[in-house]
C-alpha cells in the first residue's frame, strides 16, 4: 500500500496539467500513487496523461464525466485510491519540492492522525507576492497530534480540501465524500473536521496554488452562490446532531457566516437574486445562531446585526453596494481625435445590428487567412448575414470583387465596429473598440504555436519589449467569446498564453479547409499563376520572423541551394508577412511569393516545404507533402524567443543545420524518403487533428447561426481525409 494517493482532477486545466503531474513525479519521496482524473478516455487531459502512464507505473488515471463536476472527479479518485493518506491536488496546482518527504516525516512524528493540515501558497497569476492564508489559521495549534477540542478555530471552513492530507481509512469509515455542486470543499473539509478525533499540523508550504486570471469559479456571477447556503445549513445541522461543543460550534457558525456575508455584499455575484439570498441567509442565521452569541465588533458586527434582523436595505446602504453602480459602465472609447470619439460614441448608443458581421485579418492587411475562409462560407450558409471586411487604405485595391469593405480609421469603420453583432479577427481589434453586451467576438488565431505567445512572452526581454503592455493585451483577450483551435496542443497553449473566460472551439482552421477540398486543376492553376515552370520541383522556403533582427535576413543562399539541390528545383520564397513591402526578391530560379495574398495557394503549388520555425509547417502538413526543417540557429531562437516544445526532437521531416546539409537532403532524395514520411505521419497525427476541410462550416454554424454544439458536424478522422494532390502526383497520373 503506498503512503500517499494523490488525486488530480483535470477538467478545464489541461493547459497546466503537465506542471501538476511533473511536480508530483519529481518528488524525492517516491512512495505514492498518482491518480489523474480525466473527463474520458478521448479527452485532451487523457492524451496528456497517456504519456505519463507510459513513463511511470505509479500513474493510474481514472475517468469522471464533466457533468459530475469537481466533486465527482475527487470522489472517483478516492474510490480508486489504495494509499494510506489522500491528497487532493487541483490540476493547476503544484507540489513544492520536497513536500511529500516533509509530510511523511511529520506523520512519522505524530502517528496516524485522521487529518494533517498544512500550509499553502496562493500565487498571483501575473504579478505580486504569494500569500499564505493557512499560516494564520494553523499558527495557534498544539505542536503534536491533538484533539479538535484543543483548536476549535480549525473548522475546515477556511482551508481548501487540497490543504490537508486525509487518512483513507478515516474517510472510508465515516463515508466522507465531496457533496455535489459548488462550495464542495466546505462540505468535505467541514465534515472531516467534525468527525476527526486526532489531527495535526505541518507548518510548511506543501501546495502552491495558482490564482487564475479568470478568478475562482466560486467568484463568478451566477445562481450557484445559493449553494453556499446549502452547504452551510447541512454542516450546521450535522454539527447540532453530533452535539458539537459550544466553542467549536461558535467558531463554525462565525466562519460560515463570514463567507456568507462576503457573498451577500458582492452585488455582481448574486445579481437579481441578492435579496432572496440575503433573506434566506437571515433565516438561517436566526435558526442556527448559538445561544448567547455576541457578534464581533466593527463593521462586520454591524453586518451580523443587520443580517439577524433581516434589514436588507440597510445592509446594502452600509456596504455602498448599489447594484446599478456596481456594474461596470462601459469604458469610454478612445479612438484618436475628438470628432472620431464623438462619432464612435454616437454609434455605440444605437442598437446592435443583428445581421452585421465585421471581419479583419492581420491588422487589416487584406482578404486572407481564417477570417476570409469564414467569410466565404458565411456567404454560402448564412446569406442573411451582411459582412464587412476591414482593411488598411493601401490594401483596399486588392480586395476581391463583391466583398464589402471599410477602410480602417474611416467614418464607416467606426460605425460598423460599433454596431456589428459578430466581430471576427485573427489578431485583435483596436485598443479603443468596446465589447458591447450582446456582441460576439471570435478570435480565429493564425497559426499553431511553436514559439511562446501572449503572456508567456513576458520572460523573454526582446519579445516582451516589442509586445508592449501585457495588461492591454489581456484587456483585448477579455473581449473574446470564442477562440479557435486546430489541435489540442494549441488548445492547451492558448489557455496558458491568453488566460480568459472565452470558450475554446476545437473546430480546425478554416483557412486549411482548402487542403482537403482543392483539386488537381486548382494546383495546376496556382502553379501557372505563380510562374512555376512545368515539370519543376517547387520548394517553398518560408522562414519565420526573428525578434532580434530588424529586417528580413537569411543566411541561406537560395541560388546556390538550387544549383546544389538539382537542375529541376525552383524556390518559392515567402518571407514573413512583417517583411512584405511589395518589393520583389526574385532572381533566376527564385520566385518571390511574399506579396501573394494567399499562403494557402502558395502551399498548394509547392512540392515540398523548407522552413525553420514558422507555423506554416503545421498548416502545410495537412497536404501530407515533404517538409524539411532548416534549423541553423535553433539554440539562439529558442533562447531569445522561447518555444513550447523541442521541434528538433519531433520534427515533421529531415533536419538540416547547414546549407550543405540542406542541399544534400534534396540531392540524395531523403527529403521524400521513408524516414521523412514516418516523421511527417507522427507530426500530422499530433498537429492536424481538427483540420478536415469542414472547419469553416463548423464555425459558421456555431457562431453565426447559433446552432448547439451537439449538432455541429464532427471532425473527419485523419485516415479518411484525402489531401489535395501534389503536382508530381498529377504528372504521374
Amino acid at each position: 500500500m503506498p503512503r500517499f494517493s494523490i488525486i488530480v482532477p483535470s477538467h478545464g486545466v489541461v493547459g497546466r496539467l503537465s506542471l501538476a503531474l511533473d511536480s508530483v513525479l519529481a518528488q524525492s519521496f517516491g512512495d505514492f500513487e498518482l491518480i489523474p482524473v480525466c473527463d474520458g478516455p478521448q479527452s485532451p487531459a487523457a492524451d496528456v496523461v497517456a504519456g505519463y502512464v507510459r513513463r511511470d507505473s505509479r500513474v493510474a488515471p481514472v475517468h469522471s464525466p464533466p457533468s459530475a463536476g469537481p466533486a465527482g472527479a475527487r470522489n472517483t479518485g478516492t474510490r480508486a485510491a489504495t494509499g494510506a493518506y489522500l491528497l487532493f491536488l487541483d490540476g493547476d496546482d503544484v507540489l513544492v519540492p520536497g513536500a511529500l518527504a516533509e509530510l511523511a516525516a511529520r506523520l512519522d512524528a505524530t502517528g496516524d492522525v485522521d487529518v494533517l493540515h498544512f500550509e499553502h501558497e496562493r500565487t498571483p497569476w501575473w504579478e505580486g507576492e504569494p500569500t499564505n492564508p493557512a499560516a494564520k489559521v494553523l499558527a495557534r495549534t498544539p505542536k503534536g497530534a491533538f484533539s479538535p477540542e484543543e483548536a476549535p478555530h480549525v473548522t475546515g471552513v477556511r482551508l481548501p480540501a487540497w490543504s490537508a492530507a486525509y487518512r483513507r481509512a478515516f474517510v472510508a469509515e465515516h463515508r466522507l465524500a465531496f457533496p455535489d455542486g459548488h462550495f464542495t470543499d466546505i462540505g468535505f473539509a467541514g465534515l472531516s473536521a467534525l468527525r476527526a478525533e486526532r489531527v495535526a499540523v505541518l507548518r510548511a508550504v506543501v501546495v502552491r496554488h495558482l490564482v487564475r486570471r479568470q478568478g475562482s469559479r466560486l467568484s463568478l456571477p451566477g445562481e450557484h452562490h445559493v449553494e453556499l447556503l446549502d452547504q452551510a445549513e447541512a454542516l450546521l445541522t450535522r454539527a447540532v446532531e453530533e452535539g458539537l461543543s459550544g466553542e467549536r460550534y461558535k467558531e463554525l457558525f462565525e466562519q460560515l457566516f463570514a463567507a456568507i456575508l462576503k457573498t451577500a455584499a458582492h452585488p455582481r455575484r448574486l445579481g437579481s437574486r441578492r435579496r432572496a439570498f440575503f433573506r434566506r441567509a437571515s433565516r438561517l442565521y436566526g435558526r442556527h445562531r448559538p445561544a448567547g452569541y455576541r457578534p464581533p465588533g466593527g463593521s462586520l458586527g454591524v453586518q451580523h446585526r443587520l443580517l439577524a434582523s433581516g434589514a436588507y436595505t440597510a445592509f446594502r446602504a452600509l456596504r455602498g453596494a448599489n447594484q446599478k453602480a456596481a456594474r461596470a459602465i462601459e469604458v469610454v472609447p478612445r479612438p484618436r481625435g475628438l470628432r472620431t470619439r464623438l462619432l464612435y460614441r454616437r454609434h455605440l448608443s444605437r442598437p446592435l445590428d443583428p445581421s452585421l458581421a465585421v471581419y479583419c485579418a492581420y491588422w487589416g492587411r487584406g482578404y486572407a487567412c481564417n477570417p476570409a475562409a469564414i467569410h466565404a462560407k458565411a456567404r454560402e450558409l448564412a446569406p442573411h448575414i451582411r459582412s464587412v471586411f476591414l482593411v488598411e487604405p493601401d490594401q483596399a485595391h486588392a480586395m476581391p470583387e463583391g466583398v464589402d469593405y471599410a477602410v480602417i480609421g474611416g467614418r464607416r469603420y467606426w460605425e460598423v465596429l460599433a454596431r456589428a453583432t459578430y466581430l471576427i479577427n485573427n489578431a485583435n481589434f483596436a485598443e479603443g473598440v468596446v465589447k458591447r453586451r450582446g456582441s460576439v467576438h471570435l478570435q480565429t488565431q493564425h497559426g499553431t504555436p511553436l514559439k511562446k505567445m501572449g503572456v508567456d512572452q513576458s520572460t523573454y526581454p526582446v519579445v516582451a519589449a516589442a509586445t508592449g503592455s501585457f495588461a492591454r493585451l489581456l484587456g483585448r483577450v477579455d473581449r473574446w467569446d470564442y477562440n479557435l483551435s486546430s489541435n489540442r496542443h494549441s488548445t492547451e497553449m492558448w489557455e496558458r498564453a491568453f488566460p480568459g473566460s472565452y470558450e475554446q472551439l476545437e473546430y480546425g482552421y478554416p483557412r486549411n479547409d482548402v487542403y482537403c477540398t482543392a483539386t488537381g486543376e486548382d494546383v495546376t492553376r496556382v502553379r501557372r499563376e505563380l510562374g512555376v515552370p512545368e515539370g519543376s520541383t517547387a520548394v517553398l522556403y518560408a522562414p519565420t520572423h526573428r525578434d532580434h533582427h530588424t529586417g528580413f535576413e537569411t543566411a541561406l543562399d537560395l541560388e546556390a541551394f538550387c544549383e546544389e539541390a538539382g537542375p529541376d528545383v525552383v524556390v518559392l520564397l515567402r518571407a514573413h508577412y512583417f517583411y512584405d513591402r511589395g518589393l520583389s526578391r526574385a532572381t533566376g530560379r527564385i520566385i518571390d511569393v511574399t506579396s501573394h495574398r494567399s499562403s494557402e495557394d502558395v502551399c498548394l503549388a509547392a512540392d515540398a516545404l523548407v522552413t525553420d520555425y514558422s507555423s506554416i509547417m503545421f498548416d502545410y502538413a495537412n497536404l501530407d507533402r515533404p517538409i524539411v526543417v532548416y534549423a541553423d540557429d535553433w539554440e539562439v531562437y529558442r533562447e531569445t524567443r522561447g518555444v513550447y516544445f523541442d521541434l528538433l526532437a519531433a520534427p515533421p521531416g529531415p533536419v538540416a543545420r547547414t546549407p550543405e546539409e540542406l542541399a544534400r537532403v534534396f540531392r540524395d532524395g531523403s527529403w521524400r524518403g521513408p524516414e521523412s514520411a514516418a516523421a511527417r505521419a507522427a507530426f500530422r497525427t499530433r498537429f492536424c487533428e481538427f483540420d478536415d476541410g469542414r472547419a469553416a462550416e463548423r464555425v459558421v454554424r456555431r457562431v453565426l447561426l447559433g446552432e448547439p454544439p451537439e449538432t455541429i458536424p464532427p471532425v473527419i478522422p485523419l485516415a479518411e481525409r484525402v489531401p489535395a494532390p501534389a503536382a508530381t502526383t498529377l504528372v504521374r497520373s
Side-chain angles (χ1 to χ4, degrees):
M1 178 174 66
R3 191 71 177 277
F4 299 107
S5 293
I6 304 168
I7 299 163
V8 188
S10 62
H11 181 70
V13 292
V14 66
R16 293 183 53 82
L17 179 60
S18 59
L19 300 180
L21 302 182
D22 288 342
S23 74
V24 176
L25 296 176
Q27 293 291 311
S28 56
F29 183 90
D31 187 14
F32 63 82
E33 62 178 356
L34 176 56
I35 307 176
V37 186
C38 307
D39 292 344
Q42 304 301 320
S43 66
D47 288 347
V48 173
V49 170
Y52 289 89
V53 172
R54 289 191 293 268
R55 296 196 300 269
D56 199 311
S57 60
R58 294 172 297 179
V59 182
V62 294
H63 301 132
S64 176
S67 59
R74 287 170 170 173
N75 291 335
T76 298
T78 299
R79 288 191 293 270
T82 62
Y85 279 85
L86 304 175
L87 287 173
F88 299 99
L89 187 69
D90 282 356
D92 50 0
D93 298 339
V94 296
L95 289 181
V96 301
L100 294 185
E102 287 207 60
L103 284 175
R106 182 59 175 159
L107 288 170
D108 289 341
T110 61
D112 287 338
V113 294
D114 296 327
V115 181
L116 175 63
H117 298 285
F118 48 75
E119 297 176 7
H120 65 271
E121 279 187 352
R122 295 176 62 85
T123 305
W125 78 273
W126 185 239
E127 293 178 348
E129 292 296 320
T131 59
N132 185 344
K136 186 178 293 186
V137 178
L138 303 180
R140 297 179 288 113
T141 54
K143 292 184 178 180
F146 57 90
S147 164
E149 297 290 343
E150 299 177 65
H153 66 284
V154 182
T155 66
V157 171
R158 294 194 291 173
L159 297 172
W162 38 262
S163 193
Y166 303 87
R167 187 165 60 88
R168 186 170 62 86
F170 159 73
V171 171
E173 177 187 351
H174 294 281
R175 298 182 180 179
L176 298 176
F178 287 88
D180 291 337
H182 297 78
F183 302 96
T184 186
D185 280 27
I186 289 179
F188 182 83
L191 281 176
S192 298
L194 289 181
R195 298 288 177 78
E197 296 180 2
R198 294 183 75 248
V199 297
V201 165
L202 171 61
R203 294 189 182 92
V205 172
V206 171
V207 173
R208 185 168 292 125
H209 172 70
L210 176 72
V211 179
R212 305 182 77 191
R213 177 173 180 260
Q214 304 94 306
S216 165
R217 286 184 289 265
L218 302 184
S219 65
L220 298 175
E223 297 184 0
H224 61 276
H225 290 282
V226 175
E227 296 177 24
L228 173 59
L229 300 179
D230 297 336
Q231 298 289 359
E233 185 168 17
L235 199 52
L236 289 169
T237 300
R238 186 63 61 85
V240 171
E241 292 173 350
E242 299 191 3
L244 197 67
S245 67
E247 186 61 27
R248 289 184 67 191
Y249 185 82
K250 171 182 171 293
E251 287 283 355
L252 178 63
F253 175 88
E254 200 161 77
Q255 291 180 27
L256 284 170
F257 275 94
I260 290 170
L261 285 167
K262 183 177 180 180
T263 299
H266 202 300
R268 295 191 65 188
R269 289 185 186 176
L270 295 169
S272 62
R273 298 183 61 87
R274 190 176 175 210
R275 183 185 294 270
F277 181 93
F278 184 89
R279 287 177 174 171
R280 183 184 166 193
S282 178
R283 293 193 297 270
L284 185 65
Y285 190 97
R287 192 159 55 247
H288 290 281
R289 179 176 179 171
Y293 176 72
R294 297 185 61 183
S299 175
L300 182 58
V302 176
Q303 292 179 57
H304 270 260
R305 293 181 178 89
L306 293 174
L307 184 64
S309 62
Y312 174 69
T313 303
F315 181 83
R316 287 189 62 183
L318 173 69
R319 299 293 296 174
N322 183 284
Q323 188 171 344
K324 181 181 288 187
R327 285 181 179 156
I329 299 174
E330 289 182 330
V331 179
V332 176
R334 297 295 180 188
R336 293 182 181 180
L338 177 60
R339 293 178 62 183
T340 304
R341 288 200 298 270
L342 294 175
L343 173 69
Y344 187 44
R345 289 188 65 180
R346 179 164 61 84
H347 288 306
L348 286 173
S349 67
R350 301 169 63 190
L352 288 172
D353 184 339
S355 299
L356 178 59
V358 167
Y359 298 81
C360 190
Y362 298 116
W363 303 275
R365 295 182 58 81
Y367 191 78
C369 195
N370 291 320
I374 297 170
H375 173 272
K377 184 59 68 172
R379 297 173 80 175
E380 173 190 336
L381 298 180
H384 63 285
I385 300 290
R386 183 166 54 90
S387 302
V388 179
F389 232 91
L390 305 181
V391 295
E392 289 287 355
D394 61 350
Q395 295 295 323
H397 69 281
M399 291 299 293
E401 185 177 351
V403 175
D404 190 13
Y405 65 88
V407 174
I408 291 177
R411 294 175 65 88
R412 188 170 181 237
Y413 165 80
W414 289 109
E415 178 184 359
V416 296
L417 277 177
R419 301 205 58 210
T421 295
Y422 308 99
L423 295 98
I424 299 166
N425 205 328
N426 74 347
N428 261 310
F429 288 101
E431 189 70 34
V433 172
V434 171
K435 172 68 165 75
R436 296 186 63 180
R437 187 183 302 274
S439 65
V440 178
H441 285 239
L442 168 65
Q443 168 59 255
T444 75
Q445 302 293 350
H446 54 270
T448 290
L450 166 62
K451 61 188 177 186
K452 292 292 180 73
M453 302 292 290
V455 298
D456 286 341
Q457 300 172 342
S458 61
T459 55
Y460 296 87
V462 174
V463 189
T467 300
S469 168
F470 287 101
R472 290 183 178 180
L473 167 66
L474 292 170
R476 295 189 287 270
V477 170
D478 286 339
R479 297 190 300 225
W480 302 355
D481 294 291
Y482 299 106
N483 182 56
L484 208 53
S485 173
S486 59
N487 48 64
R488 286 178 179 169
H489 162 78
S490 294
T491 301
E492 296 171 22
M493 298 310 107
W494 296 146
E495 181 182 317
R496 288 176 46 180
F498 302 112
S501 57
Y502 53 82
E503 179 182 345
Q504 296 270 21
L505 297 182
E506 292 184 320
Y507 287 175
Y509 280 163
R511 71 182 186 188
N512 292 343
D513 285 354
V514 68
Y515 298 140
C516 292
T517 61
T519 64
E521 289 76 12
D522 295 322
V523 173
T524 301
R525 172 185 54 78
V526 172
R527 286 171 69 94
R528 187 181 303 116
E529 291 174 357
L530 296 178
V532 178
E534 191 171 343
S536 63
T537 299
V539 176
L540 172 59
Y541 176 55
T544 193
H545 166 64
R546 303 296 198 279
D547 297 274
H548 54 286
H549 288 174
T550 57
F552 177 68
E553 302 176 24
T554 175
L556 185 61
D557 185 333
L558 296 178
E559 286 287 357
F561 165 74
C562 289
E563 292 295 331
E564 291 290 326
D568 64 333
V569 172
V570 297
V571 168
L572 303 176
L573 170 61
R574 189 168 181 85
H576 192 276
Y577 58 81
F578 283 179
Y579 308 123
D580 179 11
R581 299 293 181 268
L583 302 175
S584 175
R585 305 173 184 86
T587 58
R589 290 155 67 180
I590 313 303
I591 303 172
D592 192 340
V593 294
T594 302
S595 298
H596 190 78
R597 176 181 60 83
S598 170
S599 63
E600 295 76 52
D601 278 359
V602 172
C603 288
L604 285 174
D607 299 295
L609 169 69
V610 173
T611 187
D612 39 27
Y613 328 116
S614 171
S615 66
I616 199 172
M617 74 178 78
F618 303 99
D619 306 312
Y620 192 82
N622 284 286
L623 288 168
D624 198 15
R625 301 179 191 174
I627 302 173
V628 178
V629 176
Y630 179 58
D632 61 329
D633 62 347
W634 169 247
E635 289 75 18
V636 174
Y637 186 84
R638 184 177 56 192
E639 293 301 317
T640 57
R641 188 60 172 85
V643 295
Y644 285 117
F645 66 92
D646 186 355
L647 175 65
L648 304 195
V655 176
R657 303 300 299 266
T658 66
E660 294 74 21
E661 289 180 5
L662 180 62
R664 185 166 60 251
V665 164
F666 279 85
R667 194 166 55 246
D668 64 17
S670 57
W671 63 284
R672 55 183 175 185
E675 292 184 5
S676 174
R680 186 167 69 254
F683 193 82
R684 279 164 50 78
T685 299
R686 182 179 180 186
F687 295 112
C688 298
E689 191 171 3
F690 308 132
D691 288 336
D692 65 347
R694 301 189 69 180
E697 178 185 352
R698 283 189 282 268
V699 171
V700 171
R701 291 191 182 280
R702 179 72 189 281
V703 178
L704 299 183
L705 297 179
E707 296 182 6
E710 59 270 17
T711 67
I712 303 302
V715 174
I716 300 171
L718 186 64
E720 298 177 17
R721 302 174 204 168
V722 180
T728 51
T729 304
L730 296 174
V731 170
R732 292 195 207 100
S733 299

